[in-house]
Structures are given as C-alpha cells and as structure tokens.
mmCIF file of all heavy atoms in Angstrom:
data_model
loop_
_atom_site.group_PDB
_atom_site.id
_atom_site.type_symbol
_atom_site.label_atom_id
_atom_site.label_comp_id
_atom_site.label_asym_id
_atom_site.label_seq_id
_atom_site.Cartn_x
_atom_site.Cartn_y
_atom_site.Cartn_z
ATOM 1 N N MET A 1 126.576 91.126 100.652
ATOM 2 C CA MET A 1 125.162 91.371 100.937
ATOM 3 C C MET A 1 124.348 91.280 99.648
ATOM 4 O O MET A 1 124.798 91.758 98.600
ATOM 5 C CB MET A 1 124.983 92.759 101.530
ATOM 6 C CG MET A 1 125.207 92.846 103.007
ATOM 7 S SD MET A 1 123.910 92.032 103.964
ATOM 8 C CE MET A 1 124.594 92.160 105.609
ATOM 9 N N PRO A 2 123.173 90.640 99.712
ATOM 10 C CA PRO A 2 122.380 90.458 98.501
ATOM 11 C C PRO A 2 121.559 91.678 98.122
ATOM 12 O O PRO A 2 120.363 91.647 98.085
ATOM 13 C CB PRO A 2 121.472 89.268 98.861
ATOM 14 C CG PRO A 2 121.277 89.421 100.351
ATOM 15 C CD PRO A 2 122.559 89.942 100.869
ATOM 16 N N VAL A 3 122.261 92.815 97.896
ATOM 17 C CA VAL A 3 121.574 94.066 97.498
ATOM 18 C C VAL A 3 122.223 94.571 96.243
ATOM 19 O O VAL A 3 123.451 94.759 96.200
ATOM 20 C CB VAL A 3 121.652 95.111 98.618
ATOM 21 C CG1 VAL A 3 120.961 96.401 98.194
ATOM 22 C CG2 VAL A 3 121.051 94.572 99.912
ATOM 23 N N SER A 4 121.434 94.830 95.225
ATOM 24 C CA SER A 4 121.993 95.303 93.965
ATOM 25 C C SER A 4 122.289 96.797 94.028
ATOM 26 O O SER A 4 121.792 97.538 94.874
ATOM 27 C CB SER A 4 120.977 95.050 92.822
ATOM 28 O OG SER A 4 119.875 95.922 92.946
ATOM 29 N N ARG A 5 123.149 97.264 93.118
ATOM 30 C CA ARG A 5 123.461 98.676 93.028
ATOM 31 C C ARG A 5 122.238 99.480 92.677
ATOM 32 O O ARG A 5 122.079 100.618 93.143
ATOM 33 C CB ARG A 5 124.584 98.894 92.007
ATOM 34 C CG ARG A 5 125.932 98.320 92.441
ATOM 35 C CD ARG A 5 126.992 98.496 91.373
ATOM 36 N NE ARG A 5 128.276 98.014 91.825
ATOM 37 C CZ ARG A 5 129.213 98.747 92.387
ATOM 38 N NH1 ARG A 5 128.987 100.016 92.555
ATOM 39 N NH2 ARG A 5 130.358 98.223 92.799
ATOM 40 N N ARG A 6 121.333 98.915 91.858
ATOM 41 C CA ARG A 6 120.123 99.632 91.493
ATOM 42 C C ARG A 6 119.269 99.885 92.708
ATOM 43 O O ARG A 6 118.736 100.985 92.914
ATOM 44 C CB ARG A 6 119.359 98.810 90.446
ATOM 45 C CG ARG A 6 118.074 99.484 89.937
ATOM 46 C CD ARG A 6 117.436 98.625 88.884
ATOM 47 N NE ARG A 6 118.340 98.334 87.780
ATOM 48 C CZ ARG A 6 118.066 97.502 86.769
ATOM 49 N NH1 ARG A 6 116.943 96.822 86.770
ATOM 50 N NH2 ARG A 6 118.918 97.326 85.832
ATOM 51 N N VAL A 7 119.107 98.879 93.554
ATOM 52 C CA VAL A 7 118.346 99.051 94.797
ATOM 53 C C VAL A 7 119.036 100.058 95.690
ATOM 54 O O VAL A 7 118.388 100.926 96.310
ATOM 55 C CB VAL A 7 118.186 97.696 95.513
ATOM 56 C CG1 VAL A 7 117.595 97.914 96.920
ATOM 57 C CG2 VAL A 7 117.291 96.798 94.732
ATOM 58 N N GLY A 8 120.340 99.986 95.785
ATOM 59 C CA GLY A 8 121.105 100.911 96.619
ATOM 60 C C GLY A 8 120.904 102.358 96.190
ATOM 61 O O GLY A 8 120.656 103.244 96.996
ATOM 62 N N LEU A 9 120.990 102.619 94.869
ATOM 63 C CA LEU A 9 120.817 103.960 94.398
ATOM 64 C C LEU A 9 119.380 104.452 94.599
ATOM 65 O O LEU A 9 119.152 105.618 94.955
ATOM 66 C CB LEU A 9 121.184 104.017 92.908
ATOM 67 C CG LEU A 9 122.661 103.943 92.579
ATOM 68 C CD1 LEU A 9 122.865 103.832 91.080
ATOM 69 C CD2 LEU A 9 123.396 105.152 93.129
ATOM 70 N N GLY A 10 118.423 103.542 94.414
ATOM 71 C CA GLY A 10 117.027 103.907 94.653
ATOM 72 C C GLY A 10 116.764 104.288 96.095
ATOM 73 O O GLY A 10 116.085 105.272 96.382
ATOM 74 N N ALA A 11 117.351 103.513 97.015
ATOM 75 C CA ALA A 11 117.182 103.805 98.445
ATOM 76 C C ALA A 11 117.848 105.149 98.804
ATOM 77 O O ALA A 11 117.288 105.934 99.598
ATOM 78 C CB ALA A 11 117.808 102.691 99.283
ATOM 79 N N LEU A 12 118.997 105.432 98.224
ATOM 80 C CA LEU A 12 119.677 106.712 98.481
ATOM 81 C C LEU A 12 118.860 107.898 97.982
ATOM 82 O O LEU A 12 118.711 108.900 98.678
ATOM 83 C CB LEU A 12 121.050 106.700 97.833
ATOM 84 C CG LEU A 12 121.881 107.986 98.001
ATOM 85 C CD1 LEU A 12 122.152 108.260 99.459
ATOM 86 C CD2 LEU A 12 123.183 107.890 97.226
ATOM 87 N N ILE A 13 118.300 107.760 96.792
ATOM 88 C CA ILE A 13 117.474 108.816 96.228
ATOM 89 C C ILE A 13 116.239 109.047 97.088
ATOM 90 O O ILE A 13 115.887 110.208 97.396
ATOM 91 C CB ILE A 13 117.075 108.495 94.779
ATOM 92 C CG1 ILE A 13 118.307 108.533 93.879
ATOM 93 C CG2 ILE A 13 115.990 109.449 94.264
ATOM 94 C CD1 ILE A 13 118.065 107.991 92.474
ATOM 95 N N LEU A 14 115.617 107.996 97.534
ATOM 96 C CA LEU A 14 114.430 108.108 98.389
ATOM 97 C C LEU A 14 114.769 108.734 99.725
ATOM 98 O O LEU A 14 114.059 109.590 100.239
ATOM 99 C CB LEU A 14 113.779 106.764 98.593
ATOM 100 C CG LEU A 14 112.488 106.706 99.407
ATOM 101 C CD1 LEU A 14 111.438 107.626 98.793
ATOM 102 C CD2 LEU A 14 111.961 105.285 99.527
ATOM 103 N N PHE A 15 115.913 108.318 100.286
ATOM 104 C CA PHE A 15 116.374 108.893 101.575
ATOM 105 C C PHE A 15 116.543 110.404 101.474
ATOM 106 O O PHE A 15 116.065 111.172 102.318
ATOM 107 C CB PHE A 15 117.690 108.224 101.983
ATOM 108 C CG PHE A 15 118.393 108.883 103.153
ATOM 109 C CD1 PHE A 15 117.972 108.627 104.451
ATOM 110 C CD2 PHE A 15 119.452 109.747 102.937
ATOM 111 C CE1 PHE A 15 118.597 109.234 105.532
ATOM 112 C CE2 PHE A 15 120.089 110.368 104.016
ATOM 113 C CZ PHE A 15 119.663 110.116 105.299
ATOM 114 N N ILE A 16 117.262 110.859 100.443
ATOM 115 C CA ILE A 16 117.490 112.287 100.262
ATOM 116 C C ILE A 16 116.181 113.042 99.936
ATOM 117 O O ILE A 16 115.923 114.132 100.455
ATOM 118 C CB ILE A 16 118.544 112.505 99.184
ATOM 119 C CG1 ILE A 16 119.892 111.906 99.592
ATOM 120 C CG2 ILE A 16 118.689 114.010 98.873
ATOM 121 C CD1 ILE A 16 120.942 111.939 98.504
ATOM 122 N N ALA A 17 115.346 112.440 99.085
ATOM 123 C CA ALA A 17 114.102 113.074 98.698
ATOM 124 C C ALA A 17 113.187 113.318 99.934
ATOM 125 O O ALA A 17 112.597 114.401 100.060
ATOM 126 C CB ALA A 17 113.353 112.239 97.671
ATOM 127 N N LEU A 18 113.098 112.334 100.808
ATOM 128 C CA LEU A 18 112.303 112.486 101.995
ATOM 129 C C LEU A 18 112.952 113.486 102.964
ATOM 130 O O LEU A 18 112.213 114.320 103.585
ATOM 131 C CB LEU A 18 112.148 111.133 102.705
ATOM 132 C CG LEU A 18 111.251 110.117 101.987
ATOM 133 C CD1 LEU A 18 111.294 108.772 102.699
ATOM 134 C CD2 LEU A 18 109.815 110.638 101.912
ATOM 135 N N LEU A 19 114.240 113.478 103.111
ATOM 136 C CA LEU A 19 114.907 114.396 104.009
ATOM 137 C C LEU A 19 114.700 115.825 103.573
ATOM 138 O O LEU A 19 114.503 116.744 104.406
ATOM 139 C CB LEU A 19 116.377 114.049 104.105
ATOM 140 C CG LEU A 19 117.217 114.844 105.119
ATOM 141 C CD1 LEU A 19 116.719 114.631 106.524
ATOM 142 C CD2 LEU A 19 118.698 114.466 104.996
ATOM 143 N N VAL A 20 114.764 116.080 102.285
ATOM 144 C CA VAL A 20 114.633 117.435 101.759
ATOM 145 C C VAL A 20 113.170 117.814 101.542
ATOM 146 O O VAL A 20 112.736 118.924 101.815
ATOM 147 C CB VAL A 20 115.387 117.573 100.419
ATOM 148 C CG1 VAL A 20 115.158 118.934 99.791
ATOM 149 C CG2 VAL A 20 116.890 117.353 100.653
ATOM 150 N N GLY A 21 112.389 116.818 101.064
ATOM 151 C CA GLY A 21 111.011 117.151 100.681
ATOM 152 C C GLY A 21 109.985 117.178 101.814
ATOM 153 O O GLY A 21 109.031 117.968 101.769
ATOM 154 N N LEU A 22 110.195 116.367 102.851
ATOM 155 C CA LEU A 22 109.209 116.353 103.927
ATOM 156 C C LEU A 22 109.016 117.678 104.630
ATOM 157 O O LEU A 22 107.888 118.107 104.897
ATOM 158 C CB LEU A 22 109.587 115.253 104.942
ATOM 159 C CG LEU A 22 109.206 113.819 104.554
ATOM 160 C CD1 LEU A 22 109.765 112.854 105.560
ATOM 161 C CD2 LEU A 22 107.690 113.653 104.449
ATOM 162 N N PRO A 23 110.103 118.437 104.924
ATOM 163 C CA PRO A 23 109.877 119.745 105.558
ATOM 164 C C PRO A 23 109.066 120.698 104.685
ATOM 165 O O PRO A 23 108.259 121.492 105.177
ATOM 166 C CB PRO A 23 111.298 120.271 105.774
ATOM 167 C CG PRO A 23 112.174 119.057 105.828
ATOM 168 C CD PRO A 23 111.537 118.096 104.867
ATOM 169 N N LEU A 24 109.260 120.598 103.368
ATOM 170 C CA LEU A 24 108.512 121.445 102.446
ATOM 171 C C LEU A 24 107.060 121.036 102.410
ATOM 172 O O LEU A 24 106.143 121.848 102.426
ATOM 173 C CB LEU A 24 109.125 121.419 101.053
ATOM 174 C CG LEU A 24 110.605 121.854 100.973
ATOM 175 C CD1 LEU A 24 111.132 121.669 99.565
ATOM 176 C CD2 LEU A 24 110.749 123.309 101.383
ATOM 177 N N LEU A 25 106.806 119.706 102.297
ATOM 178 C CA LEU A 25 105.451 119.222 102.257
ATOM 179 C C LEU A 25 104.695 119.463 103.583
ATOM 180 O O LEU A 25 103.480 119.683 103.564
ATOM 181 C CB LEU A 25 105.457 117.711 101.970
ATOM 182 C CG LEU A 25 105.911 117.309 100.566
ATOM 183 C CD1 LEU A 25 106.019 115.796 100.452
ATOM 184 C CD2 LEU A 25 104.949 117.875 99.500
ATOM 185 N N ALA A 26 105.428 119.447 104.694
ATOM 186 C CA ALA A 26 104.788 119.648 106.000
ATOM 187 C C ALA A 26 104.237 121.067 106.141
ATOM 188 O O ALA A 26 103.321 121.311 106.913
ATOM 189 C CB ALA A 26 105.801 119.378 107.117
ATOM 190 N N ARG A 27 104.785 121.992 105.390
ATOM 191 C CA ARG A 27 104.243 123.390 105.418
ATOM 192 C C ARG A 27 102.889 123.419 104.766
ATOM 193 O O ARG A 27 102.026 124.230 105.167
ATOM 194 C CB ARG A 27 105.232 124.338 104.703
ATOM 195 C CG ARG A 27 106.566 124.447 105.371
ATOM 196 C CD ARG A 27 107.474 125.358 104.589
ATOM 197 N NE ARG A 27 108.831 125.423 105.164
ATOM 198 C CZ ARG A 27 109.831 126.120 104.647
ATOM 199 N NH1 ARG A 27 109.651 126.837 103.535
ATOM 200 N NH2 ARG A 27 111.029 126.133 105.243
ATOM 201 N N THR A 28 102.690 122.598 103.760
ATOM 202 C CA THR A 28 101.390 122.565 103.055
ATOM 203 C C THR A 28 100.418 121.646 103.770
ATOM 204 O O THR A 28 99.242 121.960 103.897
ATOM 205 C CB THR A 28 101.586 122.110 101.605
ATOM 206 O OG1 THR A 28 102.556 122.953 100.949
ATOM 207 C CG2 THR A 28 100.293 122.160 100.828
ATOM 208 N N TRP A 29 100.899 120.481 104.202
ATOM 209 C CA TRP A 29 100.075 119.497 104.930
ATOM 210 C C TRP A 29 100.643 119.328 106.333
ATOM 211 O O TRP A 29 101.526 118.481 106.531
ATOM 212 C CB TRP A 29 100.047 118.169 104.179
ATOM 213 C CG TRP A 29 99.367 118.252 102.848
ATOM 214 C CD1 TRP A 29 98.046 118.384 102.605
ATOM 215 C CD2 TRP A 29 100.007 118.212 101.556
ATOM 216 N NE1 TRP A 29 97.793 118.390 101.258
ATOM 217 C CE2 TRP A 29 98.981 118.304 100.577
ATOM 218 C CE3 TRP A 29 101.336 118.094 101.135
ATOM 219 C CZ2 TRP A 29 99.254 118.315 99.207
ATOM 220 C CZ3 TRP A 29 101.594 118.078 99.776
ATOM 221 C CH2 TRP A 29 100.559 118.209 98.849
ATOM 222 N N PRO A 30 100.157 120.103 107.296
ATOM 223 C CA PRO A 30 100.701 120.032 108.656
ATOM 224 C C PRO A 30 100.620 118.642 109.272
ATOM 225 O O PRO A 30 101.386 118.319 110.169
ATOM 226 C CB PRO A 30 99.795 121.023 109.424
ATOM 227 C CG PRO A 30 99.269 121.944 108.386
ATOM 228 C CD PRO A 30 99.090 121.120 107.141
#
C-alpha cells in the first residue's frame, strides 16, 4: 500500500486524539 509510516503514525495520533478529546471538548462546546 502506498502509505508511509509517517502518515500512518500521524493518522493513529489523530484517531486517538479525537477519540479522547472530543468528549472533553463537547462538554465545553455542546
């Protein structure tokens, strides 16, 4: 697959950040 490890790590970080961060942000911005 034409996907670099750098892109893969970036996607993983964004996936986790949204999964953890969105519930917290939703409390401030409903």
Side-chain angles (χ1 to χ4, degrees):
M1 277 289 174
V3 180
S4 70
R5 291 177 178 267
R6 183 178 302 173
V7 170
L9 288 173
L12 179 62
I13 292 170
L14 182 57
F15 170 80
I16 296 173
L18 290 173
L19 185 61
V20 175
L22 281 174
L24 301 176
L25 292 174
R27 297 178 183 178
T28 305
W29 294 287

